[in-house]
């Protein structure tokens, strides 16, 4: 199974369209969103093509292929218009005997991690910066962040990740160019 992992759309019709093109190009089976789908929030500028209603119309037909966790910009009203669950603070997956803790990053993050076991992977968005590094007292955990689809920060590209088998690959949104690869 191939997953496309993305975060921080922030209501951009323009970048949602690019993400769905990437989903098709990647021939992904499922789309994992790490939160902040519809709204830009008070700390961000409006992204290019800000149009939450259009984003809803683009994503709802794919509801059976979307797994999503709640970002700091999601609210109960979002669940009223989206056909897939968006209000869970986290989700769990297993990859090659490693637990993946999927969350947005505003509650659980490197400074405030969930209860993890050595070898577990914390996967979150929120910072809008792609990341892959170990952390913890003995570097026993791995932190991964796909960056932001619509509002990248710190000079990073508009980006997403794929997970196929045991390999995570960070890619540039515009053309799918590989930026980084990590195998667990």
């Amino acid at each position: 199974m191939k997953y496309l992992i993305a975060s921080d759309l922030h209501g951009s019709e323009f970048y949602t369209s690019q993400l769905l093109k990437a989903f098709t190009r990647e021939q992904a089976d499922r789309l994992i969103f790490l939160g902040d789908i519809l709204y830009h929030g008070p700390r961000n500028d409006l992204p290019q093509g800000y149009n939450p209603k259009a984003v809803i119309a683009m994503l709802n037909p794919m509801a059976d292929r979307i797994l999503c966790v709640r970002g700091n910009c999601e609210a109960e009203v979002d669940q009223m218009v989206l056909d897939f669950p968006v209000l869970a603070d986290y989700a769990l997956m297993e990859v090659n005997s490693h637990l993946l803790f999927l969350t947005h990053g505003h509650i659980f993050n490197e400074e405030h991690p969930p209860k993890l076991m050595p070898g577990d992977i914390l996967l979150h968005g929120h910072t809008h910066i792609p990341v892959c590094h170990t952390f913890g007292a003995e570097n026993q955990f791995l932190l991964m962040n796909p960056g932001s689809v619509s509002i990248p920060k710190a000079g990073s590209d508009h980006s997403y990740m794929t997970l196929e088998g045991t390999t995570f690959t960070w890619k540039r949104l515009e053309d799918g160019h590989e930026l980084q690869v990590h195998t667990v």
Side-chain angles (χ1 to χ4, degrees):
M1 177 153 313
K2 186 173 187 178
Y3 298 94
L4 190 146
I5 304 166
S7 189
D8 298 284
L9 277 174
H10 291 291
S12 171
E13 177 184 15
F14 176 80
Y15 287 110
T16 300
S17 175
Q18 285 196 1
L19 183 67
L20 296 181
K21 287 177 187 172
F23 185 82
T24 300
R25 178 178 65 234
E26 296 288 349
Q27 298 180 335
D29 299 295
R30 303 272 180 171
L31 180 56
I32 297 174
F33 276 120
L34 300 177
D36 285 359
I37 295 175
L38 297 179
Y39 301 110
H40 64 90
R43 296 182 302 174
N44 296 311
D45 293 331
L46 285 175
Q48 181 177 349
Y50 182 70
N51 186 348
K53 287 183 179 180
V55 172
I56 293 165
M58 295 166 81
L59 295 180
N60 275 344
M62 300 180 58
D64 60 338
R65 291 176 277 165
I66 296 175
L67 170 66
C68 184
V69 295
R70 180 178 67 90
N72 58 304
C73 292
E74 261 79 57
E76 289 180 17
V77 69
D78 299 338
Q79 190 60 81
M80 295 169 69
V81 296
L82 291 169
D83 293 339
F84 50 92
V86 297
L87 295 177
D89 287 331
Y90 65 91
L92 304 173
M93 291 177 58
E94 187 177 330
V95 173
N96 196 27
S97 300
H98 296 279
L99 178 75
L100 263 96
F101 191 98
L102 310 170
T103 192
H104 181 62
H106 66 294
I107 296 173
F108 300 108
N109 51 55
E110 186 174 357
E111 288 77 33
H112 302 285
K115 298 295 180 192
L116 300 171
M117 293 177 55
D120 287 348
I121 300 167
L122 177 59
L123 180 56
H124 72 70
H126 186 58
T127 65
H128 299 222
I129 302 168
V131 168
C132 180
H133 68 255
T134 57
F135 73 101
E138 298 175 19
N139 289 321
Q140 70 268 40
F141 313 122
L142 184 62
L143 171 65
M144 294 188 190
N145 186 323
S148 174
V149 172
S150 67
I151 310 173
K153 295 185 179 176
S156 62
D157 290 298
H158 297 267
S159 60
Y160 64 93
M161 295 167 58
T162 59
L163 168 60
E164 190 167 21
T166 60
T167 301
F168 291 88
T169 305
W170 285 255
K171 296 186 177 185
R172 189 169 45 218
L173 180 64
E174 293 82 11
D175 57 11
H177 175 76
E178 290 185 6
L179 302 171
Q180 182 178 357
V181 177
H182 184 88
T183 301
V184 293

